[in-house]
């Protein structure tokens, strides 16, 4: 992502998108992390300047992060703090000039001594008398000074991308600093682009680059001018020589902001220091490669656990870990069908589940075992809900902004893999594990089977160049991962058939999606959670679930999230019009556990249920279903040959492209555009659908069995090739 004068404006706006006014603190940055809440937070005042600081975690030794160069703030640590706070008490702070700290005006408020004293004041305010100190980039000088001046207070020092002196030595350095000074004064946005391109130089770094731009936009040009002068011309080499605590130096050998030689200098100056080189790494390992950073810090500060158990190889029970995506209940239902088939093939296999609500609740109700570590998982489903508008969810940007959640959940997975032995890991759309395995291939310790029902992120707005660019970048990253490490997925299973895969390209210059999927996946057909033959007796089902023979039953369902609230409200508005024409109509709104049934009107013949277990049994005997455009529910309706209408979420590439293509293959694309439907039109279309004959193609019934057979082959070490 190197910068140049011709390309920066286009890259800046196409990657970072629209930005708030300079100096504003966007709402998203008022809550620093998605996955963990602070144990306490304070505004620590020193010499009239308020400094924001927070404690994360409530037990264990202290790890304190000194404030880095103020072009960023503590949210930069979103991939690190949530994990470390599971094992330590962690302190973070925003430096004066950015984040939630004050932005005093004038050069006199910005100096290295101020920055050092701010950090010490925060340590004092939290009564931290012993801590491991972490200094990223310029903050390395702060922690080295504290360690030298207050050795009794510091247990460990970790520097990352750091330097021990900032003198302007030589003509090249002088020219660079003069160029940067002129750039800051002439064009603030150009400077931000230049800076973030330097520190995130690794390929496919568009997300950390975008984050960095937004952190920088929370400060101002004049503040950074003062800050830059304060960080320049400091020399802490003598302090480094006086450090006596264990010290770890982490530095990328492709760091384009602080040369690798600067890290080696710290390593040479601090007696007994260790050096961890990030080969091919850029400036901010904690943000770009958080898994490697987290594991290095935990191992260095925490060491081995005080007590652990090692089980002899032949005494270990055969175990599988099944990772099920919690975004909707469909994954859990099909995964359970596969697991049951796998148990038929491998009766001695214990299966543990790794997921969160709503999937976790469903699996527990079915008698399955969730591993206790899942309490540490962040909820992907809630993240998607938080980004949804009125029946509108850009699924790509929801995935893109899930990076903190993915890192948090993968770190819990890594801890589990280190603590327990599993013979196989099965991941249904476990994007977190799949991505971070490819970024950290040495962590794979057992066979890994990856399942998905779609391949490729696709832009939904043809006029949005930013969305197209970022989709293609994500796809290219995935393609390169699989090409470089094909063995990380011991099997890759597409839950569907070849014709269900779009023939569109991944992006400009990238292969076509179906052609690539043919080479890298096997097809198992669709996986139903039931045998349609067992649900063919609709009269029995209606009697079982309390539906009367004379009633016309319509069921409206939006899955286990709150994203479908607006659709259910519109259906409720259409119901009186439908009831007027069909007096015997009974409608059930399945709102899911996160919607309040009281939020819907109370009308004769209309009932609202928060949850219906195994809803497919009810759908199999209804006269009409009105559902979102998700794959699982629509395919269940196709399999049981029930009339339905689906309403894909706007801008949701999976529902609008991948699911619709699959339904068309089964001659069952019954989708309507929510935005164009008023209650009258919706009522008219719904009643017409209720009476139209069904001509769907049959859905295969052996998909779960075929998937289980492929998994069993991997488990038995047979036919490991694709």
């Amino acid at each position: 992502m190197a910068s140049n004068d011709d390309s920066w404006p286009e890259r800046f706006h196409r990657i970072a998108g629209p930005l708030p006014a300079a100096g504003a603190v966007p709402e998203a940055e008022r809550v620093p992390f998605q996955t963990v809440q602070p144990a306490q937070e304070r505004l620590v005042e020193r010499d009239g300047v308020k400094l924001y600081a927070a404690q994360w975690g409530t037990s264990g030794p202290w790890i304190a992060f000194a404030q880095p160069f103020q072009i960023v703030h503590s949210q930069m640590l979103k991939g690190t703090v949530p994990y470390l706070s599971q094992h330590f008490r962690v302190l973070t702070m925003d430096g004066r000039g950015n984040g939630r700290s004050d932005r005093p005006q004038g050069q006199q408020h910005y100096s290295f001594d101020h920055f050092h004293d701010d950090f010490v004041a925060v340590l004092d305010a939290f009564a931290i008398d012993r801590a491991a100190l972490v200094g990223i980039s310029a903050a390395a000088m702060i922690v080295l000074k504290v360690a030298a001046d207050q050795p009794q207070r510091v247990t460990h020092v970790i520097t990352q991308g750091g330097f021990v002196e900032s003198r302007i030595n030589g003509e090249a350095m002088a020219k660079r600093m003069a160029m940067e000074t002129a750039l800051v004064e002439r064009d603030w946005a150009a400077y931000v682009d230049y800076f973030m391109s330097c520190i995130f130089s690794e390929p496919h770094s568009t997300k950390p680059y975008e984050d960095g731009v937004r952190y920088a936009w929370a400060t101002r040009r004049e503040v950074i001018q003062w800050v830059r002068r304060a960080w320049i011309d400091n020399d802490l080499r003598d302090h480094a020589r006086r450090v006596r605590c264990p010290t770890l130096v982490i530095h990328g050998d492709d760091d384009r902001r602080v040369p690798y030689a600067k890290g080696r200098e710290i390593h040479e100056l601090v007696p007994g220091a260790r050096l961890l080189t990030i080969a091919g790494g850029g400036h901010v390992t904690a943000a770009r490669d958080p898994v490697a950073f987290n594991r290095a810090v935990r191992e260095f500060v925490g060491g081995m656990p005080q007590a652990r158990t090692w089980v002899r190889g032949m005494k270990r029970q055969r175990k599988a870990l099944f990772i099920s995506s919690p975004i909707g209940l469909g994954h859990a239902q099909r995964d359970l069908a596969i697991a049951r088939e796998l148990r038929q093939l491998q009766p001695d296999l214990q299966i543990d589940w790794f997921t969160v609500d709503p999937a976790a609740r469903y699996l527990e109700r079915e008698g399955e075992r969730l591993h206790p570590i899942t309490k540490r998982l962040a909820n992907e489903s809630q993240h998607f809900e938080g980004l949804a508008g009125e029946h509108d969810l850009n699924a790509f940007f929801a995935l893109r902004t899930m990076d903190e959640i993915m890192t948090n959940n993968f770190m819990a997975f890594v801890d589990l893999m280190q603590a327990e032995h599993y013979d196989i890991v099965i991941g249904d759309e476990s994007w977190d594990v799949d991505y971070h395995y490819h970024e950290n291939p040495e962590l794979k310790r057992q066979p890994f089977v990856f399942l998905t029902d779609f391949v490729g992120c696709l832009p939904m707005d043809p006029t949005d160049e930013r969305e197209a660019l970022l989709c293609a970048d994500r796809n290219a990253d995935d393609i390169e991962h699989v090409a470089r490490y094909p063995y990380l997925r011991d099997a890759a299973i597409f839950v569907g058939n070849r014709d269900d895969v779009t023939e569109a390209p991944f992006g400009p210059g990238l292969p076509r999606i179906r052609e690539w999927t043919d080479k890298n996946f096997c097809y198992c057909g669709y996986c139903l959670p039931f045998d349609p033959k067992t649900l063919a007796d609709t009269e029995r089902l209606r009697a079982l679930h309390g539906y009367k023979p004379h009633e016309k039953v319509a069921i409206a369902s939006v899955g286990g999230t709150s994203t479908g609230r607006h659709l259910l409200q519109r259906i409720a508005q259409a119901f009186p019009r439908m009831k007027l024409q069909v007096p015997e109509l009974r409608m059930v709104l399945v709102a899911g556990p996160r919607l309040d049934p009281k939020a819907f009107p109370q009308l004769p013949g209309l009932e609202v249920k928060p949850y219906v277990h195994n809803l497919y049994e009810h759908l199999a005997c209804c006269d009409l279903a009105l559902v979102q455009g998700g794959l699982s529910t629509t395919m269940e309706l196709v399999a049981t040959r029930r009339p339905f209408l689906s309403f894909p979420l706007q801008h949701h590439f999976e529902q609008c492209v991948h699911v619709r293509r699959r339904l068309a293959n089964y001659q069952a694309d019954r989708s309507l555009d929510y935005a164009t439907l008023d209650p009258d039109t919706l009522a008219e279309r719904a009643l017409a659908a209720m009476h139209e004959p069904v001509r769907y193609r049959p859905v295969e019934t052996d998909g779960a069995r075929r998937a289980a057979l492929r998994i069993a082959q991997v488990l038995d070490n047979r036919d490991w090739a694709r």
Side-chain angles (χ1 to χ4, degrees):
M1 291 187 60
S3 178
N4 60 69
D5 291 339
D6 294 331
S7 67
W8 85 257
E10 179 181 5
R11 177 177 57 251
F12 185 88
H13 294 293
R14 289 179 70 192
I15 296 176
L19 294 165
V25 182
E27 188 63 31
E29 293 170 7
R30 297 184 187 277
V31 180
F33 307 120
Q34 295 181 357
T35 56
V36 64
Q37 296 296 315
Q40 61 170 316
E41 50 189 339
R42 297 182 184 177
L43 287 175
V44 178
E45 186 169 341
R46 192 185 76 80
D47 291 345
V49 177
K50 293 186 178 73
L51 306 163
Y52 172 82
Q55 172 189 339
W56 312 87
T58 57
S59 63
W62 278 100
I63 294 179
F65 284 84
Q67 72 277 30
F69 179 41
Q70 288 91 327
I71 202 167
V72 297
H73 50 68
S74 59
Q75 196 178 13
M76 180 186 71
L77 301 171
K78 64 181 179 177
T80 292
V81 169
Y83 172 70
L84 292 178
S85 66
Q86 297 287 340
H87 304 283
F88 305 94
R89 287 173 291 173
V90 180
L91 178 77
T92 63
M93 65 175 292
D94 293 336
R96 58 174 65 203
N98 205 333
R100 283 132 294 175
S101 293
D102 284 350
R103 294 151 173 74
Q105 299 297 295
Q107 183 66 64
Q108 71 274 18
H109 296 290
Y110 297 90
S111 68
F112 176 75
D113 288 341
H114 274 312
F115 304 155
H116 167 269
D117 294 347
D118 287 349
F119 181 54
V120 172
V122 169
L123 292 175
D124 292 341
F126 283 78
I128 300 174
D129 56 4
R130 293 280 287 170
L133 306 185
V134 184
I136 296 175
S137 189
M141 292 194 293
I142 294 177
V143 300
L144 289 169
K145 179 173 172 57
V146 175
D149 292 347
Q150 302 184 51
Q152 76 287 352
R153 193 171 202 172
V154 183
T155 64
H156 303 75
V157 164
I158 299 169
T159 68
Q160 190 267 287
F163 47 93
V164 72
E165 56 87 12
S166 55
R167 299 169 302 156
I168 301 178
N169 293 324
E171 184 178 354
M173 184 64 173
K175 286 183 177 180
R176 171 180 158 179
M177 299 310 296
M179 179 275 292
E180 291 188 13
T181 298
L183 193 58
V184 173
E185 294 174 351
R186 183 180 74 247
D187 193 330
W188 169 237
Y191 175 75
V192 171
D193 167 75
Y194 160 81
F195 190 93
M196 296 305 162
S197 296
C198 283
I199 68 173
F200 296 116
S201 55
E202 300 93 335
H204 307 296
S205 294
T206 58
K207 186 57 170 63
Y209 168 93
E210 177 186 344
D211 290 340
V213 167
R214 294 182 182 278
Y215 305 152
W217 223 246
T219 187
R220 293 182 180 275
R221 176 204 315 262
E222 61 270 19
V223 170
I224 295 303
Q225 289 172 320
W226 298 323
V227 166
R228 289 182 69 252
R229 297 184 191 116
W231 282 112
I232 292 173
D233 202 24
N234 298 287
D235 189 346
L236 275 293
R237 288 177 295 175
D238 286 342
H239 287 78
R241 294 186 183 98
R242 290 193 281 118
V243 173
R244 291 296 179 265
C245 64
T247 299
L248 174 64
V249 179
I250 304 174
H251 215 108
D253 66 4
D254 192 32
D255 189 332
R256 300 179 191 179
R257 183 66 191 171
V258 177
Y260 178 61
K262 294 285 189 178
R264 292 191 63 89
E265 184 179 21
I266 299 175
H267 175 241
E268 293 166 0
L269 289 171
V270 177
R274 304 179 191 178
L275 175 64
L276 172 59
T277 300
I278 308 298
H283 184 54
V284 192
T285 305
R288 185 58 180 84
D289 292 297
V291 173
F293 180 85
N294 292 347
R295 298 183 72 245
V297 171
R298 185 188 174 190
E299 179 181 343
F300 184 66
V301 177
M304 295 296 293
Q306 293 184 350
R308 66 190 186 103
T309 300
W310 180 80
V311 181
R312 295 190 69 249
M314 297 308 292
K315 294 291 289 183
R316 297 174 188 174
Q317 182 178 359
R318 282 162 55 84
K319 294 197 303 182
L321 185 72
F322 212 131
I323 307 171
S324 185
S325 171
I327 303 174
L329 289 177
H331 296 96
Q333 290 177 331
R334 79 176 178 212
D335 293 341
L336 183 54
I338 294 171
R340 286 169 173 163
E341 293 286 355
L342 188 57
R343 287 181 178 124
Q344 293 291 321
L345 298 169
Q346 305 276 351
D348 63 336
L349 184 68
Q350 173 185 316
I351 298 177
D352 292 344
W353 294 87
F354 192 82
T355 189
V356 296
D357 281 340
R361 194 179 314 179
Y362 173 82
L363 290 166
E364 286 185 316
R365 186 162 179 169
E366 289 289 317
E368 297 293 317
R369 178 185 184 269
L370 264 72
H371 194 282
I373 205 171
T374 57
K375 295 176 181 178
R376 285 173 45 185
L377 298 180
N379 196 298
E380 300 171 21
S381 184
Q382 289 181 350
H383 169 74
F384 273 65
E385 287 180 0
L387 296 177
E390 181 177 346
H391 203 71
D392 190 345
L393 174 62
N394 191 306
F396 168 71
F397 284 108
L399 286 169
R400 177 176 169 79
T401 54
M402 206 166 67
D403 50 329
E404 177 190 332
I405 293 172
M406 290 176 62
T407 301
N408 176 85
N409 293 354
F410 181 74
M411 294 308 307
F413 170 80
V414 169
D415 280 357
L416 175 57
M417 291 299 103
Q418 290 183 326
E420 297 186 33
H421 170 80
Y422 284 92
D423 294 89
I424 193 168
V425 171
I426 308 156
D428 185 353
E429 296 192 4
S430 55
W431 304 111
D432 45 3
V433 172
D434 187 69
Y435 173 80
H436 284 297
Y437 259 173
H438 282 91
E439 290 284 286
N440 304 269
E442 70 281 358
L443 296 183
K444 180 173 179 278
R445 301 177 62 181
Q446 68 296 302
F448 174 56
V449 176
F450 181 72
L451 296 90
T452 185
D453 56 41
F454 78 91
V455 175
C457 294
L458 298 173
M460 292 303 299
D461 184 349
T463 66
D464 188 343
E465 293 185 0
R466 176 174 179 252
E467 184 181 10
L469 170 72
L470 298 179
C471 278
D473 181 69
R474 180 186 175 99
N475 290 336
D477 198 10
D478 290 343
I479 291 168
E480 293 170 21
H481 274 164
V482 172
R484 176 61 184 86
Y485 296 105
Y487 56 82
L488 286 177
R489 297 175 178 176
D490 296 281
I493 301 173
F494 183 84
V495 182
N497 301 301
R498 183 175 186 272
D499 290 344
D500 298 329
V501 182
T502 179
E503 295 183 87
F506 282 106
L510 298 175
R512 293 193 174 276
I513 296 175
R514 185 189 292 179
E515 177 185 359
W516 185 85
T517 305
D518 284 344
K519 296 176 181 177
N520 294 282
F521 283 80
C522 65
Y523 299 99
C524 71
Y526 189 71
C527 296
L528 288 168
F530 55 80
D531 183 346
K533 294 179 181 178
T534 65
L535 303 178
D537 189 345
T538 57
E539 292 184 4
R540 180 187 66 82
L541 286 176
R542 288 170 72 94
L544 176 66
H545 295 299
Y547 301 120
K548 298 176 181 178
H550 70 278
E551 291 178 326
K552 289 289 187 182
V553 178
I555 298 178
S557 172
V558 293
T561 75
S562 63
T563 307
R565 173 170 58 90
H566 296 95
L567 174 59
L568 286 184
Q569 288 173 339
R570 184 151 313 170
I571 292 171
Q573 292 169 357
F575 173 70
R577 297 156 173 83
M578 299 170 65
K579 182 77 170 175
L580 186 63
Q581 296 187 49
V582 182
E584 67 273 23
L585 181 64
R586 173 184 176 184
M587 179 173 283
V588 179
L589 300 184
V590 184
R594 294 185 185 152
L595 292 178
D596 184 1
K598 297 178 181 178
F600 299 93
Q602 296 183 1
L603 300 170
L606 178 69
E607 54 190 284
V608 184
K609 296 184 178 182
Y611 177 72
V612 175
H613 194 63
N614 287 338
L615 178 63
Y616 56 78
E617 293 186 0
H618 298 253
L619 294 173
C621 64
C622 73
D623 297 286
L624 174 69
L626 303 171
V627 298
Q628 271 189 16
L631 178 62
S632 299
T633 304
T634 53
M635 286 298 290
E636 290 165 9
L637 289 163
V638 175
T640 54
R641 307 188 67 77
R642 310 314 297 169
F644 74 94
L645 293 176
S646 67
F647 305 84
L649 289 165
Q650 298 172 87
H651 299 103
H652 194 301
F653 72 86
E654 185 182 359
Q655 293 189 7
C656 294
V657 178
H658 294 296
V659 174
R660 288 197 63 184
R661 177 184 181 87
R662 188 186 301 241
L663 291 174
N665 289 340
Y666 289 89
Q667 299 176 4
D669 185 1
R670 311 289 294 158
S671 60
L672 296 178
D673 182 5
Y674 167 89
T676 63
L677 291 175
D678 56 66
D680 287 329
T681 306
L682 176 55
E684 179 183 345
R685 297 296 298 272
L687 291 177
M690 182 186 294
H691 296 101
E692 288 177 1
V694 169
R695 297 189 176 92
Y696 313 143
R697 286 179 50 201
V699 178
E700 56 270 29
T701 59
D702 62 345
R705 179 75 174 180
R706 290 166 63 187
L709 283 168
R710 187 67 188 93
I711 295 168
Q713 287 177 338
V714 174
L715 186 59
D716 289 341
N717 199 27
R718 296 197 306 266
D719 188 22
W720 277 41
R722 297 184 195 282

